[in-house]
């Protein structure tokens, strides 16, 4: 029998419905696949983040081992920064190592890559406070890494500390100094061993004579990013 107009319409609707259902099924499959891909991508990102953390930790451990080689006369004690205390700078750091760990006042504090952080200011049984090198209480015997010799004193200064800078004065006449010079501890003064990196000269102010020069130092350490530090204990000090 001939197909009526109505029957053709019904067939067309049926074909359209079947097509729509198939489309919905294909869409559902695509959505599921997309969801799985997103999950796999998230897992991959987490794995990459873990690997990056492990690699970063390995680098820090290698640097810490280098500290032991560099400062063979010192015991190296690792500690985590667990908080901050109000100080003359923006803050002082509280670490999770104290007298029970052998920490003493004035012990030098460095980062794993041999950058100077400061020194121990006060000690409790299980925690201590570190005063940063930009603090006004800080005074460090220093020189440049160049071979000309000479010495100076790096210290915190009220004019510069809020910018995270230090002042270097008492600069000896024979010290050739220019912007960009690297400053490190000289080993004199009784607290800091020789060779800890302090910072870079960013500006020099000359008075009426060379002996009256002073310089502005930008510390290498990033005070906003450090999470762990290393305390240097002189094995030959016999306690302070």
């Amino acid at each position: 029998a001939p197909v009526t107009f109505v029957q053709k319409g019904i067939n067309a609707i049926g074909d359209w419905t079947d097509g729509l259902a198939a489309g919905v099924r294909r869409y559902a499959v695509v959505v599921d696949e997309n969801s799985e891909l997103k999950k796999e991508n998230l897992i991959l990102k987490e794995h990459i983040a873990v690997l990056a953390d492990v690699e970063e930790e390995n680098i820090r451990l290698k640097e810490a081992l280098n500290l032991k080689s560099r400062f063979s006369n010192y015991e190296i004690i690792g500690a985590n920064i667990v908080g901050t205390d109000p100080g003359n700078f923006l803050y002082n750091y509280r670490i999770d190592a104290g007298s029970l760990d052998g920490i003493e006042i004035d012990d030098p504090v460095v980062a794993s890559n041999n950058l100077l952080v400061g020194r121990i200011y006060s000690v409790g049984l299980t925690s201590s406070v570190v005063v940063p090198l930009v603090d006004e209480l800080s005074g460090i015997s220093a020189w440049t890494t160049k071979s000309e010799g000479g010495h100076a004193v790096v210290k915190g200064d009220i004019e510069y500390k809020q910018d995270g800078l230090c002042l270097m004065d008492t600069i000896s006449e024979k010290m050739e100094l220019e912007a960009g010079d690297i400053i490190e501890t000289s080993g004199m003064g009784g607290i800091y061993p020789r060779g800890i990196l302090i910072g870079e000269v960013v500006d020099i102010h000359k008075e009426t004579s060379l002996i009256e020069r002073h310089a502005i130092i930008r510390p290498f350490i990033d005070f906003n990013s450090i999470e762990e530090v290393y305390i240097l204990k002189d094995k030959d000090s016999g306690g302070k």
Side-chain angles (χ1 to χ4, degrees):
V3 179
T4 65
F5 178 79
V6 173
Q7 184 63 45
K8 287 183 179 179
I10 293 173
N11 291 342
I13 292 173
D15 293 341
W16 178 83
T17 303
D18 291 341
L20 179 62
V24 169
R25 287 193 295 271
R26 286 195 298 272
Y27 177 76
V29 170
V30 170
V31 168
D32 288 341
E33 290 177 349
N34 188 50
S35 178
E36 288 299 318
L37 287 173
K38 285 183 177 179
K39 289 178 182 178
E40 291 176 5
N41 188 46
L42 181 60
I43 293 172
L44 183 60
K45 286 182 177 179
E46 290 174 349
H47 287 169
I48 292 173
V50 169
L51 289 174
D53 289 341
V54 169
E55 183 177 0
E56 186 176 334
E57 179 67 17
N58 285 338
I59 292 173
R60 288 199 298 267
L61 289 173
K62 288 179 181 179
E63 291 173 338
L65 288 174
N66 288 336
L67 286 178
K68 296 193 73 170
S69 299
R70 180 185 293 270
F71 303 109
S72 58
N73 291 330
Y74 287 79
E75 179 186 359
I76 311 298
I77 302 173
N80 297 301
I81 293 176
V82 294
T84 57
D85 288 351
N88 291 335
F89 179 45
L90 300 179
Y91 43 72
N92 295 329
Y93 298 101
R94 183 167 294 276
I95 60 174
D96 61 354
S99 59
L100 293 179
D101 304 286
I103 306 300
E104 296 180 278
I105 291 174
D106 284 342
D107 284 343
V109 181
V110 300
S112 61
N113 49 357
N114 192 36
L115 303 184
L116 184 60
V117 176
R119 63 180 175 85
I120 298 295
Y121 177 69
S122 63
V123 182
L125 286 176
T126 59
S127 67
S128 304
V129 173
V130 178
V131 62
L133 65 97
V134 292
D135 193 278
E136 291 168 272
L137 296 174
S138 180
I140 306 155
S141 179
W143 56 23
T144 71
T145 55
K146 297 189 298 188
S147 59
E148 287 84 356
H151 62 273
V153 174
V154 174
K155 57 187 181 182
D157 183 88
I158 191 170
E159 183 179 350
Y160 302 111
K161 66 182 181 180
Q162 297 299 324
D163 295 322
L165 302 174
C166 296
L167 175 69
M168 186 168 76
D169 62 8
T170 321
I171 302 170
S172 62
E173 290 187 65
K174 67 177 181 178
M175 179 183 283
E176 296 289 338
L177 198 63
E178 59 186 353
D181 281 351
I182 305 302
I183 305 299
E184 65 178 12
T185 56
S186 67
M188 304 174 187
I191 294 181
Y192 304 95
R194 175 179 177 176
I196 304 174
L197 295 173
I198 298 174
E200 177 185 7
V201 176
V202 295
D203 199 7
I204 302 167
H205 300 273
K206 296 180 180 179
E207 308 298 336
T208 55
S209 66
L210 282 177
I211 197 67
E212 296 178 7
R213 293 176 297 168
H214 68 272
I216 310 305
I217 309 299
R218 177 182 294 112
F220 287 130
I221 190 71
D222 182 357
F223 290 106
N224 294 316
S225 67
I226 52 175
E227 298 178 351
E228 56 190 24
V229 295
Y230 293 85
I231 300 91
L232 307 184
K233 287 287 303 173
D234 191 345
K235 295 177 181 178
D236 301 325
S237 66
K240 295 186 180 72

